[in-house]
């Protein structure tokens, strides 16, 4: 086994989002440093101050890179089960330079932690070398369709190289970049997970095409997420537990399926299902108060 493949297997042992065995033993920390997004999914509503909600795109507040590093320091000091630091929004990490500033600082400050990133893939082909440079080892790309006519129903617009694209132009640009980006990332030795939101009546047939192509390219795992009805898709029905698992079973012959996802917030921290994001805000407030008292 070559050194690169052995390194991948070592990461899998401690990555809670890639391994069902690891998700109860190790935790991850999402750093909400990336508010800007370059596409509009019709199922996505991003609100930054929703402390009582738990879903992708939600964070108590957006952090600066320096605040993000402070957050990692605070948690790592008291929680030795954190193994992965990820950036998953609340927008698209690749559309925010703060992402790269944060990851670069973490690479040198916490070399024992795995750096991870979640993206829609629009900018993946051109930003992949930057991700490798700052030490990212694992990657999640959300792909909801293979056929442009399906993607056109899912995305309202795409902002690419200064142009706002809609319809077939938006769909074709996004899909092409997603698959080129995934292929390149796998060739460069990154662990790759494909996320797909199950939209009943919209992309049922495309999910099998996504699974087949991702498996053929060599992606490590696929995560089929149930739709959270909101935004322009607020009228759709969330897939039932039975329908979701039946869909995963249908796709399993093409690629391994993740079944322990919790559809995490952009500021999630801890083991899956036991997040400590609000606890962190309390901790940092107390540290700030103590510091103010010390210099008064």
């Amino acid at each position: 086994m070559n050194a690169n493949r052995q390194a991948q297997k070592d990461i899998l042992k401690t990555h809670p989002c890639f391994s069902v065995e690891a998700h109860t033993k190790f935790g991850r920390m999402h750093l909400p440093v990336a508010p800007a997004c370059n596409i509009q999914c019709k199922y996505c509503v991003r609100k930054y101050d929703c402390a009582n909600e738990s879903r992708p795109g939600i964070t108590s507040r957006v952090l600066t890179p320096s605040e993000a590093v402070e957050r990692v320091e605070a948690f790592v000091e008291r929680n030795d089960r954190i193994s992965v630091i990820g950036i998953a929004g609340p927008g698209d990490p690749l559309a925010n330079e703060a992402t790269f500033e944060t990851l670069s600082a973490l690479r040198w400050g916490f070399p024992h932690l795995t750096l991870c990133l979640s993206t829609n893939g629009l900018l993946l082909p051109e930003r992949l070398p930057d991700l490798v440079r700052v030490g990212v080892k694992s990657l999640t790309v959300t792909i909801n369709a293979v056929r442009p006519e399906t993607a056109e129903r899912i995305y309202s617009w795409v902002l690419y190289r200064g142009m706002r694209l809609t319809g077939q132009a938006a769909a074709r640009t996004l899909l092409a970049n997603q698959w080129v980006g995934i292929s390149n990332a796998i060739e460069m030795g990154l662990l790759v997970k494909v996320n797909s939101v199950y939209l009943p009546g919209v992309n049922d047939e495309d999910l099998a095409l996504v699974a087949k192509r991702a498996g053929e390219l060599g992606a490590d795992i696929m995560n089929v997420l149930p739709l959270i009805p909101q935004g322009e898709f607020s009228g759709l029905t969330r897939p039932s537990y039975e329908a979701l698992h039946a869909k995963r079973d249908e796709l399993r012959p093409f690629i391994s399926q993740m079944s322990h996802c919790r559809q995490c917030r952009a500021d999630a921290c801890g083991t899956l299902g036991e997040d400590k994001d609000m606890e962190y805000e309390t901790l940092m407030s107390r540290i700030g108060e103590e510091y103010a008292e010390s210099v008064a």
Side-chain angles (χ1 to χ4, degrees), residues 103-122:
L103 291 171
S104 182
L106 294 174
R107 179 188 185 188
W108 299 111
F110 304 90
H112 62 292
L113 297 177
T114 297
L115 299 183
C116 187
L117 183 134
S118 179
T119 176
N120 58 45
L122 178 65

Side-chain angles (χ1 to χ4, degrees), residues 180-203:
V180 169
I182 281 186
S183 178
N184 292 348
I186 293 169
E187 288 182 4
M188 296 183 76
L190 275 68
L191 290 172
V192 174
K193 174 164 65 73
V194 172
N195 276 4
S196 296
V197 180
Y198 183 9
L199 307 163
V202 178
N203 69 344

Side-chain angles (χ1 to χ4, degrees), residues 28-54:
R28 82 287 183 244
M29 180 183 298
H30 289 172
L31 301 174
V33 298
C37 197
N38 47 17
I39 72 173
Q40 179 59 59
C41 308
K42 293 183 179 180
Y43 56 76
C44 182
V45 175
R46 297 182 300 123
K47 297 179 181 178
Y48 297 156
D49 296 307
C50 300
N52 297 317
E53 291 192 64
S54 182

Side-chain angles (χ1 to χ4, degrees), residues 17 38 51 71 78 90 105 209-210:
C17 300
N38 47 17
R71 178 176 197 183
R78 64 195 182 100
L209 302 176
V210 173

Side-chain angles (χ1 to χ4, degrees), residues 6-27:
Q6 181 59 55
Q8 286 184 325
K9 286 187 173 294
D10 290 343
I11 292 173
L12 284 174
K13 294 176 183 177
T14 60
H15 200 312
C17 300
F18 280 71
S19 167
V20 67
E21 291 80 11
H23 91 276
T24 58
K25 301 176 183 177
F26 297 94

Side-chain angles (χ1 to χ4, degrees), residues 84-280:
V84 174
I85 303 296
I87 298 179
D92 186 76
L94 299 186
N96 294 262
E97 288 305 317
T99 295
F100 301 93
E101 182 180 343
T102 303
L103 291 171
S104 182
L106 294 174
R107 179 188 185 188
W108 299 111
F110 304 90
H112 62 292
L113 297 177
T114 297
L115 299 183
C116 187
L117 183 134
S118 179
T119 176
N120 58 45
L122 178 65
L123 295 179
L124 186 54
E126 58 197 78
R127 301 303 315 246
L128 182 59
D130 297 321
L131 292 180
V132 173
R133 174 179 54 81
V134 297
V136 170
K137 301 297 184 183
S138 61
L139 187 68
T140 294
V141 185
T142 298
I143 302 182
N144 297 317
V146 168
R147 299 176 297 183
E149 57 268 29
T150 303
E152 185 179 5
R153 298 178 62 190
I154 299 172
Y155 305 102
S156 298
W157 50 260
V158 164
L159 185 61
Y160 185 60
R161 296 182 176 177
M163 296 185 295
R164 185 183 177 96
L165 307 176
T166 59
Q168 286 276 314
R172 293 184 184 279
T173 299
L174 177 60
L175 294 180
N177 287 9
Q178 286 174 333
W179 291 111
V180 169
I182 281 186
S183 178
N184 292 348
I186 293 169
E187 288 182 4
M188 296 183 76
L190 275 68
L191 290 172
V192 174
K193 174 164 65 73
V194 172
N195 276 4
S196 296
V197 180
Y198 183 9
L199 307 163
V202 178
N203 69 344
D204 308 67
E205 296 180 1
D206 274 62
L207 290 182
L209 302 176
V210 173
K212 187 173 186 298
R213 181 172 294 185
E216 290 173 345
L217 288 174
D220 296 274
I221 194 168
M222 181 180 186
N223 179 23
V224 180
L225 301 147
L227 167 72
I228 299 175
Q230 57 183 354
E232 292 187 53
F233 283 162
S234 60
L236 293 184
T237 301
R238 181 181 175 92
S240 67
Y241 179 88
E242 293 76 16
L244 180 63
H245 282 269
K247 179 60 69 174
R248 289 171 176 161
D249 287 341
E250 175 191 337
L251 307 182
R252 208 177 305 277
F254 302 116
I255 186 173
S256 296
Q257 294 292 307
M258 179 180 180
S259 59
H260 57 281
C261 179
R262 297 294 183 270
Q263 291 184 276
C264 303
R265 293 165 53 102
D267 58 1
C269 179
T271 56
L272 272 66
E274 297 180 351
D275 290 317
K276 299 178 175 64
D277 45 294
M278 295 303 103
E279 180 183 351
Y280 164 75

